[in-house]
Amino acid sequence: MRSLYVAGDTWLHRLKPAIKLGALAVFAAAVFVTRNPVVPGVALVLAGLTYFGLGQPLRSAMRPLLPILATVALVALFNLLVNSAGEALLTLLRLSALVLMAAAVTATTGISDFIDTIAAAARPLERAGLVKASDIGLAVGLVIRFVPEILARYQAIREAHAARGLAVRPSTLLGPLVIQTLKDADSIAAAIDARGIRAQ
């Protein structure tokens, strides 16, 4: 599996994962708590400077974001159809800012650091007997690792369609994508159990 992590030595790379995740939560709350489009607009600029300032080539930085930003655009378009233009703009600015800032955090935090931080945050729940902290951390780490894998598989299916001269439609893409993803999930779950990682 590939990761969205980008090696580097920027100030964001040096921050502790807990601080980055906490700052991301505050950033999201600040963006969604107001209805003034100026605030999410400024947040979008700040998020863009943060993410694109990590030293990646522009094409490499944009590639993992394109499907997500396309989804954000569709959500904004739906809002434009059922609500006002102002509401659609607000949705577009909010979600775009959040996507870019989350991408910056993900690109500067290793998977193991994510797992350790989430597991540490879940330990009070483990002491209460509600969950197992290591399982929560493992689940979050697997989700993060699966994102680039699913994007790569989606692109491979698109290219296979094009090579066969087939029209690319969501109805013909989603089936193979879901089936292959579920097969990989089963294989990973079997490997985890075989290694005794989930010892419950």
Side-chain angles (χ1 to χ4, degrees), residues 73-88:
L74 287 176
V75 172
L77 179 60
F78 178 77
N79 267 272
L80 181 61
L81 295 176
V82 300
N83 295 310
S84 64
E87 189 69 27

Side-chain angles (χ1 to χ4, degrees), residues 149-164 166-170 172-181:
E149 194 72 15
I150 292 172
L151 294 177
R153 189 174 293 115
Y154 173 81
Q155 186 61 35
I157 295 172
R158 281 180 59 93
E159 291 172 357
H161 275 61
R164 291 170 173 80
L166 302 175
V168 177
R169 299 188 183 93
T172 60
L173 288 175
L174 288 179
L177 181 62
V178 169
I179 291 171
Q180 291 182 26
T181 302

